[in-house]
Structure formats: C-alpha cells, structure tokens
Amino acid sequence: MSRRSAQGVDDLFAKASSAWKEQGSRMTSVRKILCQEAFATTGPFGPEDLLTKARSIDKLISPATVYRTLAQLVQLGLLREVAGPRNQRLFLVLDSPTAGISHVLCSDCGQMIPLADPCLHLREGALARQQGFSPTKISLQVEARCDEWREKGSCPRRRADQDAP
Amino acid sequence: MSRRSAQGVDDLFAKASSAWKEQGSRMTSVRKILCQEAFATTGPFGPEDLLTKARSIDKLISPATVYRTLAQLVQLGLLREVAGPRNQRLFLVLDSPTAGISHVLCSDCGQMIPLADPCLHLREGALARQQGFSPTKISLQVEARCDEWREKGSCPRRRADQDAP
DNA sequence: GTACCTGCAAATGTTTTGCAGTACG
DNA sequence: CGTACTGCAAAACATTTGCAGGTAC
C-alpha cells in the first residue's frame, strides 16, 4: 500500500490534534498510532485494516477504540466514509480538494479502484447543495467488468477468499 | 410508499419466473409474495421492509428466505443493491434506464432522493473506460444532512420507526 | 483531582448456515 | 421419487456500549 508524504501526514496530524484540543479532547498515544497509520494510507481502508496496522505497533489496541476513533475523525472532517464492495465500510483520508472519492468496483474481484477526478468531486458537492444538503458521505458505484476479465475469463485482481459471482 | 404499475410488476415477475426456471429453480408461493412486494415498490427498500410486507400476507415467512431471495434477484439482474445510510442495505428494482442514476441519501431520515444528472453518468462511463473497464451500471450516492435537519434539528421526512443517529 | 480515554467483555443487530421437514414437478 | 425450497434455531460477524481502571493535564 502506498503511503502519503511525511509532510502531508504531519499536516493532517496537526489538524487532528488541534481539532481535538478545541473540543476538550486529547491526542493520546493510542490516537497517535491510529492517526499515523490512517493518514499515511493513500487508498481506502477498513476498520480491520487499521486495527491490524495499529496492532503491529501496539498489540493491545482494541477494535472498540478503532471504531470510536474512526467515527471521530470522520466527524472532524479528516476522513470520509465511502461504501465499499460487499457492504464493507471503507474510509479515505480527506487531505485536499482533489481527494479521489470516485471508484470503480470490479464486478468480478470486488476490488475498488480509485478514480482521480477533482471535477467530479466538485460536481457532487454542488449537486447536493443545490437541493439543500450538506454531504457527509459519498459513494460512487460503477459496476464494471475489467478488460482482463473479458479477455482472460477471470480478473487478475481476484483474491483467493472470494467466490465466483 | 408509491407502487409500480401492474404492467411493470407483471413484466418483472415474468422475467423472474423464466430466469429461475432456466436454471432449474421454481417460482414458489413464497417467492411469488416476495417478488410481488419487491417489484411493486418504486423506492429503495431494505430486507426488513420486505419481510414486513411479505409477512402481512404470510406470517410465517422467515428472514432467511428474504435474504436468500434478495441475493438471487440481484444475481438475476432484477434488483440492484445500493449502500444506504448508517450501513443499511438497500435494494432497488432495475426496470428502466433511470435505475442507474445518482441519489442523495439523508443521514437523518434515510430517504433517498434521486438526482437527475445525465452529464455525470456519461462522465463516469468515460472515466471507467479510461482505466480498462466496461461499466454496466453506475450509481452515485451522496449521504448528507438536509438543511431542514440543520435548522430544525430533525428531518421532516423522518419516519416513525427510525432512531436518532 | 477531575475529566477524558481505553481495553475488556458483554450486548446488539444483521446476515448466513445446517438441518429436518415440506412441496413441487 | 428426487430435487429444490423453507422455517427454525444456532452460528457467524461486525459494531456498539457499560464499566472499571488508567492516564493526561
């Protein structure tokens, strides 16, 4: 998994710290670990992913704390929740107006491939605001079969734990 | 809840029957009830909604059968699963070109408001093709808090059976 | 000292599965 | 008759919550 630049991570980390402090909360050592691991991730990640990464640093971190922290980071506007394939919950770091929130979901392997399209992002916000809504969660589902699937009969990204559609 | 025309329901019903028959399965009496209730619904509905409606006709229908049948109807291409607010699973009847469109989901009342935006639709197709995918269905969901919610503290569309977030 | 934070374990809520009986063709 | 379908109950998961102890300021 690719990682965000140290500069970007520090930026986000500072934002989280001050946002928490502002509301009487603290940047604790557990939250530090969770933030570092979450913010360093460039792609979408699930609660389970984050827990695993965090536990590679501190084995005692519990799922409860991961869920609590994720909810807070979404509420602070640093993460956005998106709908993943097969009802997974996924989170994305929101660190710039160009944050890629569009994705293609492969019908075969279920994998989510990000689409970078700032224009689309702006458009989504505008659409929602037009009708009197403030967006909190955005999910674009493009159901598709990848070219490899059509040519070779199976998707190269398919994971072993997945069943045929 | 608005209902689909009898003609439309019959059409979908016939499709389901023949699709099942084709694969050695049957249109049973329980499936009839589930299909009728699902196909008559024009908006998004959850497994629980469908179970309730079905039980108003036959009280013995079980959740297991509802889930099994929903999965099959999705697989047959008659329903489409979309991600709802607060991690609800929602299903839509796929019976027209307007099925693959965008929606705003209200975080408070859970209602899904369609967004007509053919431009967005076209754009997604292009994006997906760029990356080697052939899109089949596209749906954009923006989960949001509506202005009424922010101003009055609750959403005018809220239904009685829903809890505060 | 007073909040806040955390892990644990239990509770929740939803979806799936094994199984025995039933119904359909 | 054999296969598919169904309800029931239990299992499997994912997520949330209560609480007691620990930590930061």
Side-chain angles (χ1 to χ4, degrees), chain A:
Chain A
M1 176 76 69
S2 74
R3 297 211 137 212
R4 194 178 315 279
S5 75
Q7 175 60 48
V9 174
D10 289 352
D11 251 39
L12 290 156
F13 189 84
K15 273 190 202 169
S17 282
S18 65
W20 264 320
K21 181 168 286 183
E22 213 165 281
Q23 61 172 47
S25 299
R26 308 166 198 145
M27 173 62 85
T28 63
S29 62
V30 171
R31 286 179 180 170
K32 258 180 206 162
I33 294 171
L34 291 170
C35 284
Q36 294 292 349
E37 291 306 312
F39 294 161
T41 306
T42 55
F45 60 91
E48 187 65 34
D49 300 326
L50 183 53
L51 180 62
T52 304
K53 285 188 192 172
R55 280 189 165 169
S56 72
I57 298 174
D58 177 347
K59 292 189 204 306
L60 290 183
I61 291 175
S62 77
T65 303
V66 171
Y67 283 106
R68 283 188 280 234
T69 306
L70 281 171
Q72 288 170 26
L73 290 173
V74 167
Q75 222 243 306
L76 296 178
L78 294 164
L79 298 182
R80 164 161 278 155
E81 184 178 348
V82 298
R86 298 196 260 152
N87 307 319
Q88 276 177 71
R89 295 175 71 179
L90 293 177
F91 297 83
L92 286 174
V93 178
L94 277 183
D95 65 342
S96 78
T98 64
I101 54 177
S102 304
H103 298 85
V104 175
L105 305 177
C106 179
S107 300
D108 191 46
C109 67
Q111 191 157 359
M112 179 181 255
I113 294 98
L115 291 176
D117 183 11
C119 167
L120 180 66
H121 187 171
L122 294 172
R123 184 166 193 79
E124 287 161 357
L127 278 168
R129 276 190 298 276
Q130 254 174 34
Q131 310 222 347
F133 285 90
S134 310
T136 57
K137 176 175 165 184
I138 293 177
S139 95
L140 170 72
Q141 296 175 9
V142 180
E143 193 178 311
R145 296 239 142 119
C146 58
D147 289 345
E148 292 100 318
W149 189 91
R150 267 184 287 111
E151 286 158 18
K152 301 175 196 155
S154 87
C155 176
R157 297 177 199 78
R158 171 183 285 279
R159 297 194 309 256
D161 64 333
Q162 295 175 330
D163 301 315

Side-chain angles (χ1 to χ4, degrees), chain A residues 124 127-134 139, chain B residues 42-44 82-85 90 92 98-117 120 139-149 155-159:
Chain A
E124 287 161 357
L127 278 168
R129 276 190 298 276
Q130 254 174 34
Q131 310 222 347
F133 285 90
S134 310
S139 95
Chain B
T42 55
V82 298
L90 293 178
L92 286 174
T98 63
I101 64 171
S102 309
H103 296 85
V104 175
L105 302 174
C106 179
S107 299
D108 191 44
C109 67
Q111 190 156 0
M112 182 179 256
I113 293 103
L115 289 177
D117 184 13
L120 180 68
S139 141
L140 168 72
Q141 294 164 33
V142 181
E143 187 173 329
R145 297 229 144 127
C146 59
D147 289 344
E148 292 102 317
W149 187 91
C155 176
R157 297 177 202 82
R158 170 183 285 281
R159 297 194 309 256

Side-chain angles (χ1 to χ4, degrees), chain B residues 7-56:
Chain B
Q7 175 58 49
V9 174
D10 289 353
D11 250 39
L12 289 157
F13 189 84
K15 273 190 203 169
S17 282
S18 65
W20 264 320
K21 180 168 288 183
E22 211 165 283
Q23 60 172 45
S25 299
R26 309 166 197 147
M27 172 63 84
T28 63
S29 64
V30 171
R31 286 180 180 169
K32 259 180 205 161
I33 294 171
L34 292 171
C35 284
Q36 293 291 351
E37 291 307 311
F39 294 161
T41 306
T42 55
F45 61 90
E48 187 64 33
D49 300 325
L50 183 54
L51 179 62
T52 303
K53 285 186 192 173
R55 279 188 166 169
S56 73

Side-chain angles (χ1 to χ4, degrees), chain B residues 39-113:
Chain B
F39 294 161
T41 306
T42 55
F45 61 90
E48 187 64 33
D49 300 325
L50 183 54
L51 179 62
T52 303
K53 285 186 192 173
R55 279 188 166 169
S56 73
I57 298 173
D58 177 347
K59 292 189 204 308
L60 289 183
I61 291 175
S62 77
T65 304
V66 171
Y67 284 106
R68 284 188 278 234
T69 305
L70 282 171
Q72 288 170 26
L73 291 173
V74 168
Q75 222 242 307
L76 296 178
L78 293 165
L79 297 183
R80 168 182 185 71
E81 185 177 349
V82 298
R86 294 187 260 157
N87 306 318
Q88 278 178 70
R89 296 175 71 179
L90 293 178
F91 296 83
L92 286 174
V93 179
L94 277 183
D95 66 340
S96 78
T98 63
I101 64 171
S102 309
H103 296 85
V104 175
L105 302 174
C106 179
S107 299
D108 191 44
C109 67
Q111 190 156 0
M112 182 179 256
I113 293 103

